[in-house]
Amino acid sequence: MAWGPQKRWTTNAKYSTFFGVEDTKKPSFSSNKSTVDETTVIAVKVFRFLNVFIVLVAIGVLVAQFWFNHGCIIRCDKYKYNEFPGFGKVSEFLHTYPLFSKMSQTDLETIASNLPLPQWTQTPQEILAEAKELIAKDKAFYDKIAAIEEPTVENVLIPSTEYENAQYFPVNKLTFYQYVSPDKAVRDASTEAENLLDQASIEQNSRVDVFKVYNKLWEKINGTDATDPETMKFLEKTVKFYKRNGLNLPEDKREEVKKLKLRRAELQTKFAKNTNEENGHLEFTLDELEGVPASIIEQFEKATVDGQEKYKVTFKYPDILPVLKYAKKESTRKLAYIENQNKVPENAAILKEIIELRYHLAKLLGYDTYSEFVLEERMAKNQQNVLDFLADLKEKLSPLGEQELQKMKAFKKEHLKANGLPDQDEYYAWDHSFYNNLLLEQEHQVDHQKISEYFPLDKTISNMLGFYESLFDVKFVKVDNSKSDTVWHPDVHKFALFSNIKYGEPKNEFRGWIFFDLHPREGKYTHAAQFGLQAGYEKPDGTRETPFAALVCNFTKPKKDKPSLLKHDEVTTFFHELGHGVHSLLSRTKHTRFHGTHVPRDFVECPSQMLEFWTWSPNELKVLSSHYKTGEPLADDLLDKLIKSKHVNTGLANLRQMHFALFDMKLHTIADEKDLDAVDLDKLWNELREELTFISNGGITSRGYATFGHIAGGYESGYYGYLYSQVFATDIYYTHFKADPMNVEKGLQYRDTILKNGGSKEVLDILKELLGREPNSEAFMKEILGEA
Ligand SMILES: *[C@@H]1O[C@H](CO)[C@@H](O)[C@H](O)[C@H]1NC(C)=O
Ligand SMILES: *[C@@H]1O[C@H](CO)[C@@H](O)[C@H](O)[C@H]1NC(C)=O
Ligand SMILES: [Zn+2]
C-alpha cells in the first residue's frame, strides 16, 4: 500500500497547541499539517512525513512540566555510582568506560570511519526527479500485484515486504531535507516531493484491485503458519489498512466514505487555519498589568486608546501566558483567561460538524463509535479499556486534587488578606496559573538560571551518551571526518553506535548511525525532534540493513567565551529525544514497518518518558551535571529544590489532563444519532472541567475546546495516550530501575524486550514479559503522591 502504514508522525507535535494558558511552547508545526487521520485522503496527510518519524520537544518539555511535577522526594543516601571509578568526576567515569571493552576506542573509531554512510548531496532537480521515479515504481509495483490471480506468500507477500523495506530510506531522504537543508531551493524541492508522493500514495491506497489480492491471500492463510508471525502481521495490517479505508464496501458506500473524508479534511484544515491565523489582542493599562515583569511589558506594542496609554497583549503564548501568570489584578487575569479561551469562536461549529462526520464515517465502516474505529489500532484496543483506565485514574487522583485545591484556596486567602483585598471562597480557573507560580516562587525558589550553569551543552551531552552507554551496553563512536557529503550541514555530528561492548555476542556489533544537528540556523526546523531516517530490516540475503536516525534540536550554539547552558527541562528533552533515537537504533525487526518507534501511538512515548526519570534522579543528576566553570556536580540545595518542585500541584495538573482526555472520549464514543444531536460542546467542556479539576468556572461558559487542535485532527480519541504511556513508563521505571537506575542487567533486559521488538509483537505482551506481570497504575500513583 504505497507508503501508507509506516508513515507516521506522532501528533505529539501538537501537544502544545492546546495549552493556551500554561504552556510556553508554541505549536510545533504549521497546522495545515495537522488536519489528519488515518484514512485515505487524509491518511496521506497524517502520513505526510512519510516514514520520517518525528517526535517533538513539546512532549519532552511538557512531560517534564506536567507529568513529572512529582517524583522521588526521598533522597537515597547511598551513592549508586560507587561501583564506577571516580564518581563525581564525570570525565573519569566516562573515560574509563572503554576499558570495559575488549576493543579500544581507536579500533572502534577505525571501524566506524570505514562504515558506509548515506550521502546528502541531492540537488533540487534530482530530488524531484527521484520522487517521480519512486512514484512510477510504486505504480508499477502495485500494477503487478493487482494482476496476480492466485496470490501466495512467495508471489505477493514476500515481494511486498521487500519492496516496502527497500523504499523506506529513499522516501525519507527526499522528505527530510525540508527540515534541515541549508539551501532553500533544496528545502522547497523536498516539500514539493513530499506533496507529489502524498498524492500518488492516495491513489495507490485506494486501489480495490490491489486490496482484493491481499485480501484473497489473507483469507487463504490467516490462522496458518504459512509464514513467520511478523510477516503474517504485515499481511494482516495491510488488509486491515485497506478495510479501514473502506475498500471492502460496495461502490456507493465507498463513494460516501470518500465524500465524508473530503469534507472532514476540509474542516480540519479550516479549524487549524482559524487557530493559526487568530490575531486578536487585548488592551491593558500599565496599572492593569501590575505584577507583570517589565521585561515582558517592554515587548508589548503600545497604543493610545481614548487618550489613555495602553499595551496590546496578543493571544500568542509569549504575551498571554505571562499575564495569566503574573498579573496581580484578578480582573486582568479573568479577562485574559476568558478571552483567550474564546479567541476562535468560529471553531465551535466546525468541531461539532467534524464530530458528526466522524460518527457517520465510523458507522459506514461498520464500527459502533469513532473511538472503536481509532482504538482497534492502538494498544488500548477498545473504548471500554480507555474509559476504565480514565475512571480508575480519576478515582485515585481526585482526593489528591481536592487536597491541593484546599491548600491553594488557603494560599489565595492569605494573599488576598496580605494585599488588603476582599476575601474570596472560590478558586477560579484564572487564578491557578498565578497562584501556582506564586507558590513556586515563595515556597520553592527553584533557580533555573543557576541550575543551567551545571549543564553546559557539550559536556552534558557527552555525559548523557555515557549513561546510555552504561545502561544499554553500547558505545557511541564519533566520526567527524572530512567527507562533508555525509552530512547535510557542517554543524552536524555523526556517531556510529555499537552494542555488546561488555556483554553478549557478537562483540562490538555495529547497530547504526545517529546524527546530531543541534543548533538553530536559517530555515531549519525550530524544535527538537527525532527523525527515524532509515529503519532496520532483514534483507533477502539474510543480512541486516542498519538503521539511522537524526536528532534535530534548537540549542543555542556555544561561543568561544561562553558555553551554551541547558535548562533542566532541556536536559530532560534531550534525554527524551535520545530515548527515541536508541529505540530507532536498537530495534531489530524483520520489516521496517514494525521497527523501533513504529509501535501503537499510545505507546510510542513510553520508552522516552521512562528514560526521563534519569534526569530527575538525584544521583544521576549529579553525574550528568558539571558546572561550566568548576566542573562541580549540581549543588545539593539546588538539586533538592528542583526535585521537590516536581510535586507541586501534580494532582491538579493531572486532573487537568483528565479533563482533556475525557472530553475527547465523550465526543468520540457517541453511539447513536439521538446522542449525537444532543451533544452540547459548551456544556460538556465547562461542566467536565469543574467536575474533574474542582476549579471554578465562576459561572462563565468558555470555549477552550475551539482551540483544542488535538481533537480536531490528529489526537482524536487519542488524548488519553499521554497519561496512558506515562503510566507504563512509571511502572517500568519503578519495577526495574528506581532502586538502581544504572543496573545494566535490567538495562539489557529492557533493551532486548521493549526496544528490540519495536511494534513487531503485541506491546502488552512484551510489557508483560518485561514486568513479569500485567502493567498497572500503582507506581504512577506512588510517584504522584510522592510515596515512593
Ligand atoms: C483470522 O482467523 C481467525 C480464526 O482462525 C479469526 O478469528 C480472525 O477473525 C481472522 N482474522 C481476520 C482479521 O480476519
Ligand atoms: C530556536 O532558536 C532560535 C534562535 O535562538 C529562537 O529565536 C527560537 O525562538 C527557537 N525556537 C523555539 C521554538 O524555541
Ligand atoms: Zn517523544
Side-chain angles (χ1 to χ4, degrees):
M1 65 202 86
W3 301 283
Q6 37 176 263
K7 300 165 203 167
R8 74 121 57 92
W9 161 48
T10 50
T11 35
N12 302 326
K14 292 174 290 157
Y15 190 39
S16 53
T17 60
F18 183 57
F19 288 87
V21 263
E22 282 165 30
D23 307 308
T24 51
K25 293 288 165 209
K26 290 247 191 166
S28 307
F29 273 99
S30 64
S31 359
N32 61 348
K33 304 207 172 191
S34 65
T35 55
V36 287
D37 89 1
E38 301 177 68
T39 38
T40 9
V41 183
I42 311 138
V44 174
K45 289 208 167 185
V46 138
F47 299 144
R48 63 183 301 142
F49 295 95
L50 303 175
N51 307 321
V52 181
F53 179 86
I54 307 175
V55 183
L56 294 144
V57 69
I59 268 299
V61 170
L62 294 170
V63 157
Q65 288 176 352
F66 287 90
W67 311 121
F68 283 153
N69 281 332
H70 44 74
C72 77
I73 328 182
I74 300 162
R75 299 205 43 199
C76 313
D77 292 325
K78 191 169 51 137
Y79 278 120
K80 291 290 166 2
Y81 278 94
N82 51 14
E83 59 186 291
F84 293 108
F87 168 69
K89 290 187 238 162
V90 173
S91 53
E92 277 183 47
F93 163 61
L94 288 174
H95 292 153
T96 51
Y97 200 75
L99 295 177
F100 295 138
S101 105
K102 288 208 180 106
M103 227 179 255
S104 75
Q105 170 85 10
T106 324
D107 290 336
L108 283 181
E109 264 170 26
T110 311
I111 292 172
S113 60
N114 289 311
L115 289 166
L117 272 159
Q119 297 195 323
W120 301 92
T121 50
Q122 284 162 297
T123 63
Q125 295 72 25
E126 285 166 345
I127 289 171
L128 290 172
E130 196 175 324
K132 284 171 191 157
E133 229 169 84
L134 285 168
I135 288 165
K137 219 168 124 187
D138 206 43
K139 179 167 185 314
F141 179 79
Y142 288 106
D143 283 349
K144 229 166 66 193
I145 292 289
I148 293 172
E149 282 173 15
E150 280 310 317
T152 64
V153 169
E154 288 68 32
N155 69 11
V156 168
L157 187 50
I158 302 293
S160 297
T161 59
E162 287 175 3
Y163 172 72
E164 188 175 286
N165 291 339
Q167 294 298 85
Y168 196 99
F169 179 58
V171 170
N172 271 348
K173 188 180 183 182
L174 298 182
T175 54
F176 179 56
Y177 286 114
Q178 64 190 284
Y179 303 103
V180 295
S181 174
D183 182 344
K184 182 166 186 327
V186 170
R187 292 197 301 272
D188 290 347
S190 171
T191 308
E192 192 181 336
E194 183 170 348
N195 287 336
L196 293 174
L197 289 162
D198 281 354
Q199 286 306 320
S201 198
I202 290 174
E203 235 167 84
Q204 296 307 318
N205 290 342
S206 348
R207 286 182 66 167
V208 177
D209 56 349
V210 174
F211 162 63
K212 285 189 168 149
V213 174
Y214 286 116
N215 198 40
K216 189 168 179 188
L217 179 60
W218 173 245
E219 284 175 352
K220 200 160 81 183
I221 68 169
N222 170 26
T224 72
D225 55 3
T227 183
D228 65 277
E230 191 178 324
T231 305
M232 198 65 114
K233 185 168 176 163
F234 181 102
L235 181 60
E236 183 187 352
K237 290 278 173 198
T238 303
V239 170
K240 186 102 223 164
F241 174 85
Y242 288 113
K243 286 185 178 167
R244 289 169 62 80
N245 251 346
L247 295 202
N248 62 336
L249 297 175
E251 202 182 335
D252 56 331
K253 291 260 171 77
R254 262 201 330 264
E255 281 308 308
E256 217 177 314
V257 167
K258 207 165 160 183
K259 264 206 312 233
L260 288 177
K261 284 181 182 170
L262 280 172
R263 176 69 181 151
R264 187 186 52 176
E266 196 185 318
L267 289 175
Q268 290 182 167
T269 306
K270 212 161 140 192
F271 186 103
K273 192 163 179 281
N274 288 343
T275 312
N276 271 6
E277 292 179 357
E278 176 287 312
N279 64 356
H281 70 271
L282 296 167
E283 285 158 0
F284 291 111
T285 62
L286 197 56
D287 183 50
E288 286 165 335
L289 290 174
E290 184 194 354
V292 180
S295 61
I296 306 259
I297 293 184
E298 261 169 34
Q299 81 197 10
F300 299 148
E301 211 180 297
K302 275 193 224 173
T304 307
V305 184
D306 303 331
Q308 229 185 350
E309 182 156 87
K310 294 216 176 186
Y311 293 85
K312 283 170 98 166
V313 176
T314 72
F315 296 117
K316 306 288 176 259
Y317 295 161
D319 279 10
I320 197 79
L321 294 187
V323 172
L324 287 161
K325 191 164 161 184
Y326 297 111
K328 281 194 174 159
K329 294 205 159 51
E330 189 198 338
S331 54
T332 301
R333 295 197 308 270
K334 183 174 177 180
L335 186 68
Y337 177 84
I338 294 168
E339 293 304 312
N340 185 51
Q341 287 257 313
N342 293 340
K343 65 189 165 188
V344 200
E346 63 274 29
N347 273 352
I350 295 176
L351 184 63
K352 181 97 198 281
E353 192 183 340
I354 291 175
I355 300 301
E356 288 163 4
L357 290 167
R358 285 179 185 152
Y359 168 89
H360 292 299
L361 195 55
K363 293 287 186 195
L364 264 177
L365 292 168
Y367 296 83
D368 202 27
T369 68
Y370 196 75
S371 272
E372 295 291 17
F373 168 73
V374 170
L375 295 171
E376 70 169 2
E377 294 280 88
R378 302 287 159 83
M379 187 182 163
K381 296 286 183 225
N382 60 52
Q383 69 188 36
Q384 199 53 49
N385 286 339
V386 173
L387 295 172
D388 289 348
F389 168 80
L390 292 174
D392 174 58
L393 274 194
K394 182 185 172 204
E395 194 185 313
K396 289 175 172 160
L397 286 168
S398 293
L400 177 66
E402 265 181 295
Q403 225 173 303
E404 287 169 356
L405 183 72
Q406 290 318 319
K407 185 167 180 207
M408 293 313 286
K409 275 186 174 172
F411 185 70
K412 177 180 168 180
K413 276 175 178 292
E414 259 173 58
H415 178 258
L416 290 175
K417 198 168 161 194
N419 287 274
L421 293 164
D423 187 38
Q424 285 185 9
D425 290 326
E426 283 294 353
Y427 186 77
Y428 297 110
W430 47 89
D431 282 335
H432 189 57
S433 181
F434 176 75
Y435 286 108
N436 189 53
N437 181 62
L438 200 63
L439 185 80
L440 281 171
E441 275 181 6
Q442 290 186 357
E443 294 187 10
H444 297 275
Q445 300 153 348
V446 183
D447 188 342
H448 285 288
Q449 216 57 47
K450 185 93 194 136
I451 291 173
S452 73
E453 291 180 5
Y454 291 84
F455 295 107
L457 179 81
D458 288 349
K459 184 76 186 158
T460 307
I461 287 180
S462 88
N463 290 351
M464 290 194 210
L465 295 179
F467 268 80
Y468 277 82
E469 289 182 344
S470 314
L471 191 60
F472 297 133
D473 188 32
V474 295
K475 182 89 203 141
F476 291 92
V477 178
K478 191 167 178 177
V479 178
D480 275 347
N481 53 25
S482 53
K483 285 181 238 155
S484 62
D485 55 356
T486 61
V487 288
W488 49 89
H489 186 273
D491 278 357
V492 178
H493 296 295
K494 50 187 185 291
F495 293 79
L497 184 73
F498 295 87
S499 73
N500 305 340
I501 309 302
K502 196 176 161 192
Y503 308 95
E505 296 291 337
K507 285 271 173 280
N508 301 305
E509 188 183 10
F510 175 59
R511 300 301 291 272
W513 290 101
I514 188 157
F515 298 86
F516 287 177
D517 186 354
L518 301 181
H519 308 299
R521 62 174 177 268
E522 176 76 33
K524 197 188 127 180
Y525 180 69
T526 61
H527 298 261
Q530 189 263 166
F531 292 75
L533 297 171
Q534 169 67 299
Y537 61 88
E538 205 175 290
K539 291 194 276 196
D541 66 4
T543 61
R544 288 195 63 83
E545 183 67 46
T546 45
F548 40 93
L551 297 194
V552 178
C553 302
N554 196 48
F555 299 128
T556 317
K557 205 171 175 170
K559 301 200 179 74
K560 274 213 170 59
D561 51 341
K562 192 168 174 279
S564 163
L565 302 175
L566 298 177
K567 294 260 175 64
H568 178 257
D569 65 0
E570 292 176 314
V571 172
T572 305
T573 297
F574 194 84
F575 219 74
H576 175 105
E577 299 304 338
L578 195 55
H580 289 306
V582 299
H583 200 182
S584 288
L585 262 55
L586 295 176
S587 183
R588 199 184 277 269
T589 60
K590 217 168 146 74
H591 307 305
T592 52
R593 188 185 288 202
F594 304 116
H595 189 262
T597 51
H598 295 284
V599 294
R601 203 187 296 171
D602 50 357
F603 184 72
V604 69
E605 292 305 326
C606 176
S608 289
Q609 288 173 333
M610 209 281 287
L611 285 158
E612 285 183 30
F613 276 100
W614 273 253
T615 66
W616 287 102
S617 169
N619 295 314
E620 280 57 42
L621 270 176
K622 287 211 164 204
V623 180
L624 268 183
S625 56
S626 170
H627 194 280
Y628 80 101
K629 280 184 185 151
T630 64
E632 302 253 316
L634 193 57
D636 284 334
D637 59 330
L638 291 170
L639 186 70
D640 274 350
K641 282 182 179 156
L642 176 69
I643 291 176
K644 277 191 183 136
S645 72
K646 281 176 79 184
H647 292 270
V648 178
N649 288 334
T650 44
L652 290 175
N654 279 289
L655 284 165
R656 184 156 167 270
Q657 294 302 315
M658 293 278 305
H659 170 227
F660 303 149
L662 264 176
F663 180 74
D664 172 27
M665 289 307 289
K666 292 254 188 217
L667 295 185
H668 296 106
T669 52
I670 296 171
D672 63 52
E673 205 101 10
K674 203 163 79 305
D675 293 341
L676 184 66
D677 292 340
V679 75
D680 179 342
L681 296 178
D682 282 354
K683 191 162 171 290
L684 193 61
W685 176 256
N686 288 278
E687 286 184 2
L688 260 184
R689 184 175 51 215
E690 271 190 340
E691 180 196 328
L692 283 154
T693 68
F694 307 115
I695 295 178
S696 173
N697 298 328
I700 289 161
T701 297
S702 59
R703 290 192 159 166
Y705 62 83
T707 54
F708 196 174
H710 296 74
I711 54 167
Y715 247 57
E716 61 275 20
S717 192
Y719 199 88
Y720 73 94
Y722 294 114
L723 286 160
Y724 199 67
S725 54
Q726 186 62 41
V727 165
F728 299 128
T730 315
D731 199 359
I732 299 172
Y733 183 73
Y734 271 59
T735 307
H736 283 313
F737 297 105
K738 190 169 194 311
D740 184 5
M742 296 313 290
N743 185 319
V744 65
E745 199 185 316
K746 297 292 185 189
L748 296 184
Q749 199 187 344
Y750 178 79
R751 183 190 84 180
D752 295 335
T753 48
I754 303 293
L755 301 183
K756 180 178 168 190
N757 283 307
S760 65
K761 295 183 181 165
E762 286 296 315
V763 172
L764 191 58
D765 291 343
I766 56 174
L767 258 181
K768 281 195 257 183
E769 185 185 331
L770 178 69
L771 295 168
R773 56 166 169 77
E774 297 270 346
N776 64 53
S777 63
E778 277 171 34
F780 179 73
M781 287 313 300
K782 270 191 202 155
E783 173 73 9
I784 283 185
L785 296 167
E787 278 175 1

